Amino acid sequence: MAQKSQSPLDQFLSSLNLSPVPGRQVSLRDSNTTFIADPKDIFSVGAGQQPSQTVGPLVDSFGRNTTVDVFLPSSPLYSVSRGSSPPFLYFSTKLSLGTPSAIPIHDGYFWILSSQFGTFDAVLGPSFFGLQVQSGTIKFSTPISHSPIPGSTVIDNSNIVTLSLTLEQKTSGNPTASPNSKVTVPSNVTFQFGPSGAKLQSAVAASLEAFGQQLCFSYTDSAPSLDPILGRINFPFTTPTASFAPDTDASKLVEITGKAPITVAAWSLPLNFTSPETLGLVSGAGGMALNLGSGLGAQPPGQFPSLECGPSVLLVEPGFVVLGGLTASATRGPEYLKLGSESSIWSRVSKSPFRYIQQIDKHESWACFSLTISVLCQPRTVQNQRTRISVPGLVLYSSDGTENTVMIDCEARNPTELRSYAIKNLLLKATEPERMVLVGKYKGRIIVNADVYLVSDLRYMLPFLPDPYTANLDLDVKRANGDQRLGQLQLLVKWTSDPTPHVHVTLPSGSLHTINPMRSTYAESTGMDVAATGKSFMGNGRHIDLSRWRQYGPVLLDLSTNVSQFGVCINYNVLSGEKLDPTVSDLLLEVPQTSLNLVTLPAVQWEAVNDPADADTLTFDDSGPKTLFAVDRVTLTPVAPRPAIDSLISAYSGIPSAQVSARFTLPFGMLGFAQLKRSLLWWQSPEVQQVQPSFSAPALTGGDQLSIRAGWDTIFRLPAVDPQESPSLPGYAAQASVSHSTKSTTLTSVLGPEISQSFNDEFFLSKGHSIPVTRIDISGFGESTFSDWRNPNALAGTVAKAEFHVFTGRTAKEVVKIFSVLFPFAVRIVRTRTIERLNDGTVMLQDSGWRPISNGAYGFGLSYPDITTHPGVVTSIDNVRNIRELDGVTQTIGGIVMQAVQYDCDMLLENVESGQGPNGVPALNQMGYLQLIAGPFNAVNYAQLLQKTGHLGGQVDSVINIGASGLRMRIFQIGVGATSDRSDPSTVPTFSMSAWGTVVFPLVGQWTFLQQPISQISPTAIDPKIGVPLIRQGLSTDLSITGPYRFSDPEDLLNAGAPSREYGILFSTGSQRVYFPRPKVETDGTPRIDSDVKPLIADLFSLISMPGPFPRAEDCVPFRNDQNYQLDIGNNGSLKLLPETPYQLDSVVMRTTVLSTNMTNIIYLGEADSHGVITTKSEILLNIDSEAAVPWTLNVSNTKSTSVSSSVGPLASIRGDIVSSAMTGFPSFQNSRLDFESGLASSKDMSALDVLGPMKDLQCTMSNEIQLNWGMDLGVDDILKKAHIPSRLKDLIEKFIDGISFKLKCTATLKKLSMTIGIELEIDFKFPVGPGYVIALIAGAISFSTQGTDGLIKLGAGYDWGGKMSGFTYKAEVVIYYEHAFHPDGFANGGGLRLAGEIAFCAFIKASLQLEATLMIRTIKCATSNDSCWLVSTAQVAIEVHVFTFLDIEYDVAYEDHTKQDGGGCPWT
């Protein structure tokens, strides 16, 4: 039976179910009597068992007083069984030791299996009767194995058990009461249990006294019988009394009359039909019973004349008397009771069970089954018909000696007739009552103060409103016809002193879920699923539960003006099968406030919006979901608009305050989900109140409006001093997409994708969600609001303004403005979407696009408090315009979406000299980013953005004067980079603006910039399209920046001492270069370029191993240590290196070049002895002055170049001073000298050359294959002047020898990593013959190279002539010679022909041509085979053009053919 709440009885029974106990049994009975009053309850639970707990009286669901007896099993119970049969005897007595066949028994109890005495369990199963004993013995015909019995004892089939007991005699209860009955059961009995069964072997006499008559009993040895009226086992006794005639004054409730014969007298014991596991304590030893024939009569209340009882049973136990039978009948006429003034109950007894109980405590009861006809004035059907019930039932009268009660319980079987009832807001269709329970007081034949419970089978229910209304109910015909069972409908009709009875209705649990809305209204169409269905939504990592705003259940909407077209919704989820327990109070259907929503139509019309910019019209399918109010309180509220409104206002204004959730629409696809809750800070609490206009005319009343107003964060506000965000409603707001677009298939909202996303992110998904509305008034006729919500401190990606003008559901204007910041200059920008109704009623949309509201001076402000910028030379930007988003180009950093944009602006650079307009340097198509999604975006995120996008910014074209120093730079790109101190990983990144371009250097010399990433060993060239970056440390907020300007990447702003990429200035002079790393422009004092790193000088020796535009640092000449350098900047950008004085190296600088595995070259600056003591220091003079007559000079003194062979050691060294300047061009060796080292010291030929004395200056050139050649060529005049030759020998030489040529050559080839030192001696004898000379040639040569040692001897003769022609000087020569050559792998002999010619065009330009052919026989030796003989023929053409000292062009073509002449095995090498 379902009811509004559990009865005390149900609550107690539920508590027992929550703590189950094995074997526990529960019995229910009328609270007035110990014995079960229901005559049909024959075999009761726990019969003969003593309750472990008695609880009551407890009121059940029908208002009846009921007592609960709880029976618990005893543990342990001993048992005796025969063979494999179940035990027939259970006992818990204390056993004493005795003879093996007889065991004494002390106080305790026994349970005996009744089937030992006959077939008592054939129908209902095993049953037991119990005996409470004082003492006795158990005897076994065959001795048992041990004693006492520890548990279950099994005996064989032949063993006979004799049980002799002294029974416990119970008293009759309260000794001070006036006893109406007494009973004495047999005090001593003996039972015998054999293989075929058991019998009562003996019993002493017994007696009883009841209804004024006394009887004595003696045992007769007969089989026991079953009492079918009271459910007991009767052991026959005899009595000398033949009949029983009760005293008529023995009862005050029922008059017992007549006389009946005694057919059977018996010792009667209750039977407990149960399992052995539930047996517990025994209550007494039964009572004495009389089986009576017909003759007794009874007259209960309301019955006239008396009933004929028929055959009956009289049972007397200590404390009570029971008289019962099965065939009581009325002699004439029905029993009649009157209920109130318009209701009556009739009953007729015909062969019905009855039971009368009389207790010693004066409680009496009479119960009888009869056909009951009840005619009740309430409840009435919708046709105003009374309720009539005609079913058999139990009529129970009881009395406690002072007050009489009546209980009637009637129950029909499967009633089919349907009846319709109506309460104030609910129509019910149910079957006729299938059960009626009446509980009341009576006096005579009149029932007073009665409760009548009517239980019917509910088939249909339909809520309604008192005024005209509409609903979304699904009027299912099958349900309306009552074909579906919904549960039990319980009607309680209370009769009191009030002449009109009161009706209370209890609906079945979950019955409201059968009131279904039409399926088309299960889900509301809003264009936004999360708002329509109330499903949970995941956003920004947060779980948003919108279930409080969902609505699935039936809706009843009042159409009258009585409640301004408000309605109610019984809110439960139809789709999920959610059930709701309804209640009825004052005949009004009620549900908890949590399940009753106040609703009305959508608060504002969603009209079509015209977008002239896109030539598009945006429309909606409807105006969104209905307006809904929900209260978070379980107070029961009638299902009607007026009480729902009153209850909402009362709950919100009460203490404590309930939370009110409101869902309403805002203009053009916007929805609000408000969460309204009062707090102790009243000014912060939103207000929910009812507002109505008042009228002087009494006939006019204002319509209902619910006004929702936002609270303030602070009590005192000074907007002019401290602008604050406007108050807003707590909750969520969301912008839904439109339903249709005439242009685009991708549907967006009227706010556009960017503003819509920002709006939803801020007001729906963020933790600080709210509704940007200051006040809104809602009625069934529409909402009205004139809200202008602003946030002057809006953060990037958030809404700065939301303005709504709505008049009773029609929108006049909507403005939504979003705020953001444009990176990298921190330009504050806004984008505004305005929707406005024109005079002709059309609704137009206007989008402002992104517009600046500030210049760009790096003031990131509240949006990005930890982002700081070092502007450098890029001071700010102004006049930002034409901001345009790049479609599809976004970056998501830390969950924040950054949108790429391009824009135009005027850029303010420092010290602009050209390229600037009236407002700054025009900068077009600059790259930037702005934040679309509200959320934390810090300096680390900004750095991550730049890692993905690069430096942002863009191209410009301007020339600036760096720091007004005079050094100019052409800027063609600006950008920003993230920088942090790499030595401290915890440093928050800061940001540096950089200007890329080219520096305007002096025209003298070759000036350029190089770069050297940290991963490279030497500088490399810079991409001319990018240029060199210029930065300066100093925050935008620092007004007194004095730091230098640095040429460095912006990422290295805070890492000047250890940049990831080093930039430097390269000064080139042809064969020598100077590198100034990490330059910075200082503007304090004299404008200058200096650095914390010393310059590097690359002389001609450094350039040999140069991997790029500049050699490695270890291959360079060190700069001075006594002073730092600086390049002073002149007015026109001229540069002058200071100091200008020469400096000496403090140590010998040695640079080694590995030419091959056999040969290395070592360059020394300065010299030291064998002990490492410096003997000669190298002095360096470096002067650079772009305005001087000689713009640059580089001299290096005391240098030595030594060639070293791995096989013989040092070969030769060339010492001298390197002198170069802008005037001399290529460097030259001055004061040079050739010295043969230890590797050649043993050669007499080499030592003989020492007589030649010091060499003349070595001329140094650079070849096309990066070949460095140096050497000397001495003619005969030179030799005669320098050598110490006797005069006679000089005369002889001058007379016969035309010339002696001594050549020393040293060649270092970088590409081939080879080096050769060669010495050639040639003596020409020239005899004048004709226009020329006859030549006699004697020559020899030896060379030492990385490949080994070669040599040759050459003898020849020829003719030489020359002259002048047309201003040119020419010379020709023909020579035929014999040649013998030796090589590391053999020797060769042969001859050759040489033709040579030379022409000089002027003193500085000459050209030469040489043709030479040879034919030789070469012998090649090898270790693996015999020598081989090869015929070798060669031809060579050489052309050379020499222009002064800076150009030497050589062109050589050589041909060689070799053919083996024998069978030798050595290959050609």
Side-chain angles (χ1 to χ4, degrees):
M1 179 65 196
Q3 59 263 347
K4 181 167 58 177
S5 60
Q6 280 193 320
S7 68
L9 175 62
D10 294 331
Q11 292 175 6
F12 176 73
L13 296 178
S14 297
S15 67
L16 293 180
N17 293 332
L18 293 176
S19 56
V21 176
R24 181 175 62 190
Q25 299 184 94
V26 177
S27 175
L28 307 180
R29 57 182 173 85
D30 185 80
S31 296
N32 291 326
T33 58
T34 304
F35 200 87
I36 301 297
D38 190 345
K40 288 189 176 181
D41 194 348
I42 301 175
F43 303 105
S44 59
V45 175
Q49 192 169 335
Q50 181 176 335
S52 302
Q53 181 184 11
T54 298
V55 180
L58 300 174
V59 178
D60 69 1
S61 57
F62 295 111
R64 299 175 296 188
N65 289 329
T66 304
T67 297
V68 181
D69 293 324
V70 180
F71 303 95
L72 296 176
S74 295
S75 179
L77 277 180
Y78 299 93
S79 65
V80 177
S81 60
R82 192 180 302 277
S84 60
S85 301
F88 58 85
L89 187 63
Y90 292 88
F91 53 94
S92 63
T93 58
K94 295 180 180 180
L95 303 179
S96 301
L97 295 175
T99 62
S101 59
I103 301 174
I105 299 172
H106 297 288
D107 59 318
Y109 57 90
F110 280 77
W111 286 100
I112 300 173
L113 185 64
S114 61
S115 61
Q116 291 285 307
F117 300 92
T119 57
F120 293 96
D121 55 357
V123 178
L124 301 177
S127 62
F128 301 85
F129 62 88
L131 297 171
Q132 188 174 5
V133 301
Q134 292 180 351
S135 61
T137 60
I138 299 178
K139 295 181 180 181
F140 299 90
S141 62
T142 300
I144 61 174
S145 59
H146 61 278
S147 182
I149 301 174
S152 178
T153 300
V154 180
I155 61 175
D156 56 33
N157 287 333
S158 62
N159 203 335
I160 298 174
V161 180
T162 303
L163 183 62
S164 299
L165 303 174
T166 299
L167 301 180
E168 184 74 34
Q169 295 286 339
K170 290 187 66 175
T171 62
S172 297
N174 187 357
T176 63
S178 301
N180 293 322
S181 62
K182 293 181 181 179
V183 66
T184 302
V185 299
S187 58
N188 293 285
V189 295
T190 299
F191 293 93
Q192 189 177 73
F193 301 88
S196 59
K199 67 176 182 176
L200 179 59
Q201 194 173 37
S202 64
V204 300
S207 64
L208 69 76
E209 178 180 350
F211 294 104
Q213 190 169 349
Q214 297 181 354
L215 293 89
C216 296
F217 304 93
S218 59
Y219 176 64
T220 177
D221 187 6
S222 299
S225 61
L226 176 66
D227 178 2
I229 297 178
L230 300 180
R232 303 168 75 88
I233 183 172
N234 287 343
F235 290 94
F237 275 63
T238 61
T239 178
T241 306
S243 61
F244 181 76
D247 184 355
T248 57
D249 296 330
S251 172
K252 295 184 178 180
L253 179 66
V254 179
E255 182 180 352
I256 307 295
T257 60
K259 181 178 180 180
I262 299 175
T263 59
V264 176
W267 176 35
S268 180
L269 295 164
L271 287 177
N272 193 336
F273 286 84
T274 186
S275 61
E277 292 79 10
T278 63
L279 297 175
L281 298 176
V282 176
S283 176
M288 301 305 296
L290 297 175
N291 287 7
L292 305 176
S294 299
L296 294 183
Q299 184 158 354
Q303 184 68 44
F304 182 83
S306 62
L307 300 175
E308 293 180 354
C309 295
S312 56
V313 174
L314 177 66
L315 171 66
V316 182
E317 280 200 17
F320 63 84
V321 175
V322 178
L323 176 64
L326 299 177
T327 59
S329 298
T331 56
R332 65 176 186 178
E335 180 182 3
Y336 169 75
L337 291 173
K338 187 175 182 180
L339 180 60
S341 59
E342 301 182 42
S343 304
S344 59
I345 300 175
W346 302 77
S347 64
R348 181 176 181 84
V349 179
S350 176
K351 295 183 180 181
S352 302
F354 74 93
R355 184 174 294 175
Y356 168 72
I357 302 173
Q358 184 185 73
Q359 293 187 169
I360 195 171
D361 59 1
K362 299 184 181 180
H363 279 86
E364 296 180 81
S365 69
W366 169 269
C368 183
F369 276 88
S370 63
L371 176 62
T372 303
I373 302 174
S374 303
V375 180
L376 306 178
C377 63
Q378 288 291 343
R380 294 177 181 260
T381 67
V382 292
Q383 289 84 16
N384 201 27
Q385 296 175 349
R386 297 188 181 191
T387 298
R388 187 178 187 277
I389 307 168
S390 178
V391 292
L394 175 67
V395 180
L396 172 63
Y397 297 96
S398 61
S399 173
D400 60 1
T402 59
E403 191 175 45
N404 299 327
T405 61
V406 61
M407 191 278 293
I408 301 175
D409 190 351
C410 305
E411 188 169 2
R413 293 183 179 272
N414 301 321
T416 58
E417 182 181 346
L418 298 180
R419 300 179 180 180
S420 296
Y421 305 97
I423 58 177
K424 296 178 181 179
N425 60 350
L426 183 66
L427 178 66
L428 301 168
K429 179 173 283 191
T431 63
E432 60 181 340
E434 60 185 22
R435 187 173 185 183
M436 183 193 77
V437 177
L438 181 148
V439 179
K441 310 295 182 182
Y442 73 89
K443 292 181 181 180
R445 292 173 179 246
I446 299 176
I447 301 176
V448 294
N449 295 330
D451 292 343
V452 177
Y453 294 85
L454 301 175
V455 179
S456 300
D457 194 358
L458 182 62
R459 298 300 179 87
Y460 186 72
M461 55 193 304
L462 181 69
F464 59 87
L465 298 181
D467 293 315
Y469 71 97
T470 184
N472 66 342
L473 301 179
D474 184 8
L475 299 178
D476 190 295
V477 176
K478 184 177 179 181
R479 289 184 177 179
N481 290 335
D483 296 338
Q484 183 176 357
R485 185 178 184 275
L486 306 183
Q488 286 188 335
L489 171 67
Q490 181 173 306
L491 304 177
L492 170 60
V493 187
K494 299 179 72 70
W495 272 268
T496 61
S497 57
D498 191 335
T500 302
H502 300 280
V503 179
H504 301 271
V505 180
T506 301
L507 299 173
S509 175
S511 58
L512 275 182
H513 80 280
T514 62
I515 306 174
N516 289 334
M518 292 181 290
R519 290 189 175 273
S520 60
T521 63
Y522 277 4
E524 298 163 298
S525 174
T526 65
M528 183 174 184
D529 290 341
V530 68
T533 63
K535 295 178 181 177
S536 297
F537 187 82
M538 184 68 69
N540 280 6
R542 297 194 312 109
H543 186 73
I544 301 172
D545 185 6
L546 297 177
S547 59
R548 64 171 58 86
W549 293 286
R550 71 183 181 189
Q551 182 270 305
Y552 279 108
V555 176
L556 306 174
L557 182 65
D558 195 303
L559 298 179
S560 71
T561 59
N562 288 337
V563 286
S564 299
Q565 295 188 2
F566 276 102
V568 290
C569 168
I570 305 172
N571 199 0
Y572 60 88
N573 195 334
V574 178
L575 300 179
S576 67
E578 178 184 347
K579 293 187 177 181
L580 182 65
D581 291 337
T583 60
V584 175
S585 177
D586 193 24
L587 296 183
L588 280 168
L589 172 65
E590 293 181 336
V591 294
Q593 273 186 295
T594 54
S595 300
L596 183 67
N597 299 149
L598 181 66
V599 299
T600 186
L601 295 175
V604 61
Q605 293 185 38
W606 290 355
E607 300 173 79
V609 178
N610 296 292
D611 184 358
D614 289 342
D616 194 6
T617 300
L618 307 175
T619 58
F620 301 88
D621 284 338
D622 51 37
S623 292
K626 63 183 69 65
T627 303
L628 180 148
F629 291 87
V631 182
D632 187 17
R633 180 163 289 180
V634 295
T635 304
L636 294 175
T637 304
V639 180
R642 174 61 62 197
I645 294 174
D646 296 342
S647 180
L648 184 148
I649 298 298
S650 175
Y652 188 77
S653 60
I655 300 177
S657 174
Q659 176 174 296
V660 172
S661 301
R663 182 189 71 189
F664 48 85
T665 55
L666 291 168
F668 307 112
M670 198 175 293
L671 299 105
F673 306 88
Q675 293 175 299
L676 310 173
K677 179 74 174 179
R678 291 175 58 200
S679 67
L680 296 177
L681 305 177
W682 55 266
W683 61 89
Q684 294 183 354
S685 301
E687 298 181 28
V688 179
Q689 57 185 341
Q690 190 172 6
V691 293
Q692 292 176 295
S694 58
F695 300 93
S696 57
L700 297 177
T701 57
D704 295 280
Q705 281 192 110
L706 290 178
S707 180
I708 306 174
R709 308 178 188 186
W712 292 95
D713 291 337
T714 58
I715 301 180
F716 304 104
R717 300 181 69 251
L718 298 174
V721 178
D722 181 21
Q724 298 180 28
E725 178 182 337
S726 301
S728 58
L729 298 176
Y732 302 87
Q735 175 67 56
S737 299
V738 299
S739 302
H740 304 282
S741 169
T742 58
K743 181 178 180 182
S744 174
T745 57
T746 302
L747 298 180
T748 181
S749 76
V750 294
L751 296 183
E754 295 85 3
I755 297 182
S756 178
Q757 182 178 9
S758 298
F759 188 93
N760 289 340
D761 287 339
E762 178 176 0
F763 297 113
F764 190 74
L765 300 179
S766 70
K767 293 183 179 179
H769 54 82
S770 63
I771 305 174
V773 172
T774 58
R775 173 179 173 175
I776 186 170
D777 296 344
I778 298 175
S779 76
F781 306 109
E783 71 183 31
S784 296
T785 181
F786 302 94
S787 174
D788 187 4
W789 181 90
R790 297 171 183 261
N791 185 5
N793 301 316
L795 303 180
T798 64
V799 177
K801 177 178 180 178
E803 181 180 359
F804 304 102
H805 292 182
V806 182
F807 301 85
T808 318
R810 297 292 299 276
T811 303
K813 183 179 182 181
E814 175 185 327
V815 178
V816 177
K817 180 185 295 184
I818 184 177
F819 170 81
S820 192
V821 175
L822 179 60
F823 286 78
F825 292 98
V827 180
R828 295 167 59 88
I829 57 176
V830 294
R831 185 173 185 176
T832 305
R833 198 87 162 176
T834 302
I835 307 173
E836 192 168 10
R837 183 184 303 277
L838 303 182
N839 292 334
D840 61 359
T842 58
V843 179
M844 304 299 291
L845 169 66
Q846 182 180 1
D847 191 338
S848 69
W850 292 105
R851 300 292 179 88
I853 58 174
S854 73
N855 64 352
Y858 312 103
F860 284 96
L862 296 176
S863 296
Y864 314 100
D866 66 337
I867 294 180
T868 56
T869 304
H870 302 258
V873 298
V874 188
T875 305
S876 63
I877 61 174
D878 202 354
N879 192 23
V880 179
R881 56 198 179 273
N882 197 20
I883 302 174
R884 52 210 180 271
E885 296 182 359
L886 300 181
D887 292 340
V889 183
T890 61
Q891 298 290 342
T892 302
I893 308 294
I896 303 301
V897 177
M898 304 295 290
Q899 172 67 54
V901 297
Q902 282 188 331
Y903 59 94
D904 305 332
C905 65
D906 293 327
M907 193 170 295
L908 302 182
L909 304 178
E910 285 187 358
N911 304 306
V912 178
E913 292 193 349
S914 64
Q916 179 171 269
N919 299 317
V921 177
L924 305 180
N925 299 321
Q926 298 295 297
M927 186 71 179
Y929 273 82
L930 57 87
Q931 181 174 344
L932 284 183
I933 295 180
F937 189 85
N938 53 31
V940 174
N941 301 134
Y942 187 13
Q944 294 170 347
L945 174 67
L946 293 178
Q947 286 179 351
K948 292 184 176 183
T949 63
H951 292 114
L952 302 184
Q955 296 182 356
V956 295
D957 189 3
S958 177
V959 176
I960 66 170
N961 186 344
I962 302 176
S965 65
L967 185 66
R968 290 159 180 82
M969 182 175 181
R970 181 180 178 182
I971 306 298
F972 45 79
Q973 185 171 332
I974 61 97
V976 64
T979 180
S980 61
D981 187 354
R982 282 191 285 269
S983 64
D984 184 4
S986 63
T987 304
V988 176
T990 186
F991 302 88
S992 173
M993 292 299 299
S994 177
W996 281 268
T998 58
V999 177
V1000 181
F1001 285 111
L1003 298 178
V1004 178
Q1006 297 179 10
W1007 297 86
T1008 188
F1009 263 94
L1010 299 180
Q1011 62 176 353
Q1012 183 176 354
I1014 194 173
S1015 60
Q1016 296 184 0
I1017 61 174
S1018 63
T1020 59
I1022 290 178
D1023 186 349
K1025 296 180 181 180
I1026 298 177
V1028 62
L1030 178 65
I1031 60 174
R1032 189 185 194 191
Q1033 187 170 350
L1035 294 174
S1036 60
T1037 55
D1038 189 355
L1039 301 180
S1040 59
I1041 302 174
T1042 59
Y1045 297 84
R1046 290 169 37 212
F1047 297 98
S1048 185
D1049 288 332
E1051 290 78 7
D1052 289 325
L1053 179 75
L1054 300 183
N1055 300 280
S1060 60
R1061 183 190 305 270
E1062 179 182 274
Y1063 292 88
I1065 300 174
L1066 178 65
F1067 176 68
S1068 302
T1069 63
S1071 297
Q1072 298 160 113
R1073 301 179 183 184
V1074 183
Y1075 183 61
F1076 300 90
R1078 303 183 198 174
K1080 53 185 178 179
V1081 178
E1082 301 279 3
T1083 57
D1084 55 330
T1086 302
R1088 63 197 181 279
I1089 298 175
D1090 62 13
S1091 174
D1092 298 329
V1093 181
K1094 295 184 179 301
L1096 298 173
I1097 302 173
D1099 59 4
L1100 58 93
F1101 298 108
S1102 303
L1103 302 182
I1104 295 176
S1105 58
M1106 183 172 63
F1110 196 80
R1112 298 172 300 180
E1114 56 267 26
D1115 296 331
C1116 295
V1117 177
F1119 197 73
R1120 66 190 316 141
N1121 290 323
D1122 56 345
Q1123 287 180 281
N1124 289 330
Y1125 87 93
Q1126 67 183 48
L1127 286 168
D1128 281 359
I1129 305 172
N1131 292 332
N1132 297 321
S1134 61
L1135 298 177
K1136 181 179 182 180
L1137 178 64
L1138 296 178
E1140 300 179 279
T1141 59
Y1143 62 94
Q1144 291 184 339
L1145 300 180
D1146 296 332
S1147 61
V1148 175
V1149 176
M1150 182 177 67
R1151 291 168 287 172
T1152 301
T1153 302
V1154 178
L1155 303 176
S1156 70
T1157 57
N1158 299 323
M1159 186 71 70
T1160 59
N1161 187 63
I1162 303 175
I1163 307 298
Y1164 297 90
L1165 299 183
E1167 292 192 52
D1169 58 18
S1170 59
H1171 301 289
V1173 177
I1174 299 177
T1175 58
T1176 303
K1177 290 186 177 182
S1178 178
E1179 185 177 81
I1180 299 173
L1181 174 63
L1182 174 63
N1183 288 334
I1184 299 175
D1185 187 351
S1186 60
E1187 292 188 335
V1190 181
W1192 62 268
T1193 300
L1194 176 59
N1195 299 332
V1196 182
S1197 68
N1198 298 320
T1199 67
K1200 181 176 75 170
S1201 173
T1202 301
S1203 299
V1204 181
S1205 171
S1206 61
S1207 58
V1208 298
L1211 301 178
S1213 296
I1214 301 175
R1215 292 175 172 82
D1217 302 329
I1218 300 176
V1219 177
S1220 63
S1221 68
M1223 297 300 295
T1224 61
F1226 288 101
S1228 63
F1229 276 103
Q1230 295 183 3
N1231 303 318
S1232 59
R1233 176 181 175 83
L1234 172 66
D1235 292 321
F1236 297 101
E1237 301 295 344
S1238 59
L1240 298 179
S1242 60
S1243 173
K1244 294 181 179 180
D1245 294 333
M1246 298 299 106
S1247 60
L1249 293 175
D1250 288 341
V1251 300
L1252 297 179
M1255 297 181 296
K1256 67 177 183 179
D1257 294 345
L1258 299 179
Q1259 299 299 317
C1260 300
T1261 62
M1262 293 289 289
S1263 72
N1264 288 340
E1265 59 175 359
I1266 315 181
Q1267 184 181 75
L1268 182 63
N1269 304 302
W1270 69 95
M1272 63 180 179
D1273 186 358
L1274 300 180
V1276 63
D1277 295 334
D1278 295 326
I1279 294 176
L1280 293 177
K1281 290 178 182 179
K1282 293 186 176 182
H1284 301 287
I1285 301 174
S1287 58
R1288 294 181 66 180
L1289 182 57
K1290 278 186 178 182
D1291 294 339
L1292 183 62
I1293 292 173
E1294 290 177 349
K1295 183 177 181 180
F1296 295 103
I1297 299 177
D1298 182 67
I1300 298 176
S1301 175
F1302 176 79
K1303 295 182 179 180
L1304 173 64
K1305 289 185 179 181
C1306 182
T1307 302
T1309 304
L1310 180 61
K1311 286 186 177 180
K1312 300 178 181 179
L1313 290 179
S1314 63
M1315 183 172 182
T1316 301
I1317 297 177
I1319 300 174
E1320 297 180 11
L1321 176 62
E1322 181 177 338
I1323 301 176
D1324 294 329
F1325 296 91
K1326 296 184 178 181
F1327 303 98
V1329 177
Y1333 297 90
V1334 175
I1335 301 172
L1337 172 65
I1338 301 174
I1342 186 170
S1343 66
F1344 306 92
S1345 71
T1346 57
Q1347 309 301 322
T1349 302
D1350 297 341
L1352 63 85
I1353 297 174
K1354 186 183 296 185
L1355 301 175
Y1359 189 75
D1360 184 358
W1361 73 97
K1364 293 185 179 180
M1365 182 177 63
S1366 301
F1368 300 134
T1369 303
Y1370 67 93
K1371 184 172 66 174
E1373 181 183 75
V1374 178
V1375 177
I1376 300 174
Y1377 58 86
Y1378 163 78
E1379 181 176 351
H1380 172 76
F1382 58 91
H1383 306 279
D1385 56 356
F1387 61 91
N1389 292 289
L1393 172 65
R1394 182 177 68 193
L1395 303 176
E1398 181 181 280
I1399 183 169
F1401 298 98
C1402 63
F1404 306 106
I1405 302 174
K1406 65 180 179 178
S1408 63
L1409 171 66
Q1410 180 173 305
L1411 304 175
E1412 187 169 359
T1414 63
L1415 183 66
M1416 302 187 72
I1417 298 297
R1418 181 180 176 188
T1419 300
I1420 300 178
K1421 298 180 180 180
C1422 58
T1424 60
S1425 180
N1426 298 327
D1427 295 349
S1428 296
C1429 183
W1430 293 78
L1431 178 62
V1432 183
S1433 58
T1434 64
Q1436 182 178 5
V1437 178
I1439 300 174
E1440 181 179 359
V1441 178
H1442 182 75
V1443 181
F1444 193 45
T1445 62
F1446 54 86
L1447 182 61
D1448 191 359
I1449 300 175
E1450 293 182 2
Y1451 177 75
D1452 294 324
V1453 177
Y1455 167 79
E1456 178 178 315
D1457 181 69
H1458 47 272
T1459 305
K1460 186 182 292 187
Q1461 300 299 308
D1462 59 9
C1466 295
W1468 175 262
T1469 57

